[in-house]
């Protein structure tokens, strides 16, 4: 039996759910289709948001020879066979899923043919290609990030899919439940719809049936459906407020929702916005925890997250650095800039090189004349900033 997700797979870009920033009218990929031209590119984003659908729709519309490969499953010989096929056709689109896992041997096979134009690559990945894809591949492709699907987009897709299910009965409440339960993964939403449909006697899908099938909690926080962002806000404010218990509670809710990307982004912001110079080592620790989570995945990812979130909540806090920058930006926006002082311009012969002086410090003006003596940075009272300030004063000889 063919799965519903395969039945509804788009055959044209206009059938793709969401991603209007690249497949909408007069957007880059839709214009490539109109002009019957395609170049190598990589699509990246969360699972189930349209990467394979876009690739499939494009090759269907262009009617060019193509092959699907998986960087993990297909071996070197499979890649060799595809290259030989491409030589027969003169050009071939090769769609490679999980391209971030492509090893050096496979890359070496692919690169010269990518360079010559024999192979047109469409890479698909859930990982950020700027971190995970070999620079030699990156330099030969365009990179497009896919956006997370909204609840409205998923509901629209579910309604389309319902047309393939004979005599189905489902109301808006159930469609909204499926959309929330899928955590932005349209493929997961379609699978839940199909299981629910075949789990009934009369094809009448109810909320009770859905909850029996989908046992993970779904958090409907409020009528305005802003609950996800409220939890993220509460998560950050609990860390900022030095409450580890509340921080771990909201972390747990985000983990249950399966939203690791939002956790990563928010922790990266908190490390510098709320902790900053009070504990500058926290930034690298957050990055290390994120890296560990990506390597091990859920459910074990909760372990490094629990450690770093607890430390962040217990850490001293300082927003002095980013507040200082915001004040500087405010002056710039108001037009308070002025000319760079002559003695620190590129061509200056009067610049005093600090390393030639005691403590590598010499007094000279760096700000524009109209901002002379302006103070943006005001330290907070914490051990690290106190120590920086003490070293700074000693360096100046104060």
């Amino acid at each position: 039996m063919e799965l519903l997700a395969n039945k509804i797979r788009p055959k044209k870009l206009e059938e793709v759910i969401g991603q209007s920033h690249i497949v909408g009218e007069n957007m880059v990929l839709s214009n490539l289709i109109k002009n019957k031209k395609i170049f190598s590119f990589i699509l990246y984003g969360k699972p189930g948001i349209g990467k394979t659908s876009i690739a499939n729709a494009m090759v269907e519309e262009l009617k060019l020879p193509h092959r699907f490969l998986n960087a993990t499953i297909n071996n070197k010989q499979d890649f060799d066979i595809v290259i030989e096929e491409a030589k027969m056709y003169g050009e071939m689109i090769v769609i490679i899923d999980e391209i971030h896992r492509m090893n050096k041997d496979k890359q070496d096979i692919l690169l010269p043919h990518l360079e010559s134009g024999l192979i047109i690559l469409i890479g698909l990945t859930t990982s950020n290609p700027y971190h995970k894809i070999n620079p030699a591949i990156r330099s030969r492709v365009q990179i497009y990030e896919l956006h997370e699907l909204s609840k409205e987009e998923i509901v629209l897709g579910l309604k389309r899919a319902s047309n393939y299910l004979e005599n189905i009965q489902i109301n808006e409440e159930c469609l909204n439940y499926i959309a929330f339960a899928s955590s932005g993964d349209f493929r997961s939403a379609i699978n839940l719809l199909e299981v629910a449909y075949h789990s009934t006697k009369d094809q009448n899908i109810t909320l009770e049936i859905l909850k029996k099938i989908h046992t993970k909690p779904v958090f409907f926080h409020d009528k305005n459906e802003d609950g996800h962002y409220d939890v993220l806000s509460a998560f950050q404010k609990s860390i900022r407020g030095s409450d580890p218990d509340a921080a771990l509670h909201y972390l747990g809710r985000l983990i249950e929702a399966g939203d690791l990307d939002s956790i990563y982004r928010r922790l990266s912001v908190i490390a510098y916005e709320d902790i900053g110079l009070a504990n500058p080592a926290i930034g690298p620790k957050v990055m290390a925890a994120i890296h560990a989570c990506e390597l091990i995945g859920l459910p074990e990812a909760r372990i490094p997250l629990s450690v770093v979130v607890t430390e962040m909540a217990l850490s001293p806090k300082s927003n002095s650095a980013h507040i200082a920058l915001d004040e500087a930006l405010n002056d710039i926006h108001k037009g308070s800039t002025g000319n760079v002082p002559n003695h620190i311009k590129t061509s200056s012969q009067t610049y005093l090189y600090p390393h030639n002086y005691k403590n590598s410090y010499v007094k000279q003006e760096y700000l524009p004349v109209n901002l002379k003596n302006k103070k943006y940075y005001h330290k907070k009272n914490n051990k690290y900033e106190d120590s920086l300030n003490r070293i700074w004063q000693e360096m100046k000889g104060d």
Side-chain angles (χ1 to χ4, degrees):
M1 181 181 70
E2 187 180 11
L3 293 173
L4 180 59
N6 293 329
K7 287 181 182 178
I8 68 167
R9 179 156 285 170
K11 292 180 172 56
K12 296 180 179 179
L13 273 186
E14 62 188 31
E15 297 172 357
V16 171
I17 297 295
Q19 313 311 334
S20 58
H21 64 295
I22 55 171
V23 304
E25 188 175 356
N26 287 325
M27 294 296 107
V28 58
L29 296 187
S30 56
N31 283 340
L32 288 177
I33 296 297
K34 286 179 187 176
N35 296 322
K36 300 189 183 304
K37 185 67 178 176
I38 189 168
F39 299 92
S40 294
F41 61 87
I42 290 174
L43 299 174
Y44 80 100
K46 292 179 67 174
I49 61 174
K51 297 184 293 295
T52 305
S53 292
I54 290 173
N56 188 71
M58 291 190 74
V59 296
E60 288 282 340
E61 286 202 72
L62 289 168
K63 301 189 186 309
L64 290 173
H66 61 276
R67 291 290 180 269
F68 280 85
L69 292 172
N70 184 296
T72 303
I73 298 170
N74 293 108
N75 58 31
K76 183 174 176 288
Q77 185 178 4
D78 295 327
F79 278 71
D80 285 330
I81 291 170
V82 168
I83 297 298
E84 292 306 311
E85 283 188 271
K87 289 176 181 177
M88 293 169 56
Y89 286 106
E91 182 181 68
M92 179 176 282
I93 298 173
V94 180
I95 301 166
I96 302 180
D97 199 8
E98 297 192 76
I99 192 171
H100 62 284
R101 296 185 182 275
M102 192 163 63
N103 63 29
K104 189 176 184 304
D105 285 347
K106 295 169 187 174
Q107 290 175 33
D108 289 344
I109 294 171
L110 200 63
L111 276 171
H113 304 296
L114 197 58
E115 185 79 34
S116 70
L118 178 69
I119 295 296
I120 297 168
L121 170 68
I122 301 180
L124 312 176
T125 177
T126 55
S127 296
N128 188 329
Y130 295 102
H131 299 158
K132 296 296 182 70
I133 305 294
N134 185 303
I137 297 284
R138 284 206 316 265
S139 68
R140 291 165 173 81
V141 303
Q142 300 301 311
I143 296 174
Y144 303 110
E145 180 180 9
L146 270 59
H147 296 166
E148 189 169 343
L149 297 177
S150 68
K151 187 219 58 164
E152 291 77 17
E153 288 168 337
I154 292 178
V155 168
L156 173 63
L158 290 169
K159 288 179 177 178
R160 288 187 192 174
S162 297
N163 295 327
Y164 290 80
L165 299 172
E166 190 176 354
N167 299 323
I168 187 173
Q169 298 177 62
I170 186 168
N171 60 28
E172 287 288 332
E173 184 181 24
C174 290
L175 290 171
N176 286 328
Y177 181 91
I178 294 173
F180 274 105
S182 66
S183 300
D185 184 333
F186 184 53
R187 183 170 51 240
S188 173
I190 293 297
N191 291 340
L192 178 54
L193 175 69
E194 186 172 23
V195 171
Y197 173 78
H198 290 290
S199 299
T200 66
K201 289 183 179 180
D202 55 2
Q203 288 76 54
N204 181 23
I205 297 176
T206 65
L207 205 56
E208 182 181 4
I209 289 170
L210 290 171
K211 288 181 178 178
K212 286 180 179 177
I213 298 168
H214 185 86
T215 56
K216 286 184 68 176
V218 178
F219 300 110
F220 291 92
H221 298 277
D222 56 46
K223 293 180 180 178
N224 294 323
E225 298 163 1
D226 292 327
H228 176 68
Y229 297 101
D230 287 343
V231 172
L232 279 171
S233 175
F235 178 54
Q236 179 164 3
K237 287 169 182 171
S238 298
I239 294 176
R240 182 187 295 152
S242 301
D243 187 332
D245 300 305
L248 290 167
H249 169 78
Y250 292 115
L251 172 64
R253 287 168 70 160
L254 292 166
I255 288 173
E256 282 298 313
D259 194 3
L260 288 178
D261 285 344
S262 290
I263 295 170
Y264 297 160
R265 287 193 294 268
R266 193 55 62 109
L267 288 179
S268 299
V269 169
I270 296 168
Y272 295 96
E273 179 183 356
D274 295 309
I275 297 173
L277 286 173
N279 180 8
I282 204 66
K285 287 184 178 181
V286 167
M287 290 300 107
I290 291 171
H291 180 63
C293 291
E294 287 190 330
L295 285 177
I296 61 181
L298 287 171
E300 288 84 357
R302 76 190 192 284
I303 299 169
L305 286 174
S306 70
V307 172
V308 77
V309 166
T310 302
E311 181 176 355
M312 292 173 81
L314 296 174
S315 175
K317 310 295 190 295
S318 175
N319 63 353
S320 59
H322 88 80
I323 291 298
L325 176 59
D326 287 346
E327 288 186 20
L329 288 169
N330 187 49
D331 274 350
I332 293 165
H333 295 156
K334 290 189 299 186
S336 300
T337 51
N339 295 325
V340 173
N342 289 331
H343 63 280
I344 58 172
K345 288 182 177 178
T346 306
S347 58
S348 172
Q349 300 297 316
T350 58
Y351 170 60
L352 304 178
Y353 189 58
H355 293 294
N356 291 338
Y357 295 83
K358 182 181 178 182
N359 298 330
S360 294
Y361 176 83
V362 58
K363 188 171 183 179
Q364 60 187 328
E365 190 60 51
Y366 293 96
L367 280 167
V369 174
N370 59 316
L371 291 173
K372 186 176 180 179
N373 299 323
K374 179 79 177 187
K375 298 294 181 187
Y376 293 116
Y377 170 70
H378 302 281
K379 83 173 191 69
K380 289 283 185 89
N381 291 321
N382 57 74
K383 288 183 178 179
Y384 191 80
E385 285 184 87
D386 285 344
S387 67
L388 285 178
N389 187 65
R390 184 173 60 255
I391 293 167
W392 185 52
Q393 297 296 340
E394 290 172 355
M395 183 173 64
K396 295 192 300 179
D398 292 350

